[in-house]
Amino acid sequence: NIIDYPIDGKDATTSWRIIRNCIVSPQSLESSNPQYILSLLALRPSTGRYHQIRRHLAYCIENPIVGDNKYDGGGEFAQSLRSKGMFLCSNALEFPYPLKSVERNGLITSSNDERYGSGVIHDDFWLDVSKNISSDC
């Protein structure tokens, strides 16, 4: 799925897909046995606008991030989860290689990604950068 909706008058695009849904019935709420669906999403913003992921999820698909006290809508269930922090994290960051003469991307992964190990930058990214700094940066 793709959200293509401007933020602050500028183009903003986020690709997303559902990885897993979970139905929860919080017993701590006073409502009569409400049920909520929580979803684990894979998100990939192709632009980098201020609070882009948070705003796109809350405003465009009306499913804010759990624990987001700015964009969660303030409902009873949302408020009950705010003390646990915002449920937003990244398992990898990919960015363009900083040298114009090199056609590849850098990739940083989290320590939770068993494929790559702990917080590593792949393809000897920094080693290559330090060797190849030139006027074409």
Side-chain angles (χ1 to χ4, degrees):
N1 301 304
I2 296 177
I3 300 169
D4 187 3
Y5 189 80
I7 293 177
D8 298 332
K10 297 178 181 177
D11 290 340
T13 306
T14 304
S15 300
W16 65 280
R17 68 181 170 86
I18 296 173
I19 295 173
R20 177 181 294 160
N21 286 320
C22 172
I23 297 175
V24 294
S25 299
Q27 297 175 354
S28 61
L29 299 181
E30 296 176 12
S31 306
S32 59
N33 198 23
Q35 289 191 330
Y36 300 91
I37 297 174
L38 299 179
S39 299
L40 177 62
L41 303 177
L43 300 156
R44 185 178 203 112
S46 58
T47 51
R49 306 291 175 229
Y50 185 72
H51 291 183
Q52 176 175 327
I53 292 172
R54 296 168 69 187
R55 291 162 113 181
H56 273 173
L57 292 177
Y59 298 152
C60 298
I61 63 172
E62 298 179 355
N63 288 287
I65 297 169
V66 173
D68 186 346
N69 63 0
K70 184 168 183 142
Y71 299 105
D72 69 8
E76 186 180 12
F77 182 50
Q79 289 182 20
S80 73
L81 293 172
R82 286 181 181 171
S83 65
K84 300 190 184 314
M86 187 167 24
F87 289 29
L88 175 65
C89 63
S90 174
N91 68 345
L93 298 173
E94 186 175 352
F95 48 91
Y97 201 77
L99 303 177
K100 294 177 186 175
S101 61
V102 179
E103 294 185 22
R104 66 178 172 182
N105 291 335
L107 177 65
I108 300 173
T109 59
S110 75
S111 59
N112 294 332
D113 191 331
E114 295 175 0
R115 296 173 299 171
Y116 298 115
S118 176
V120 291
I121 301 175
H122 302 282
D123 294 329
D124 296 318
F125 180 77
W126 295 119
L127 180 61
D128 290 346
V129 168
S130 65
K131 287 181 183 175
N132 296 305
I133 291 178
S134 66
S135 61
D136 67 345
C137 289

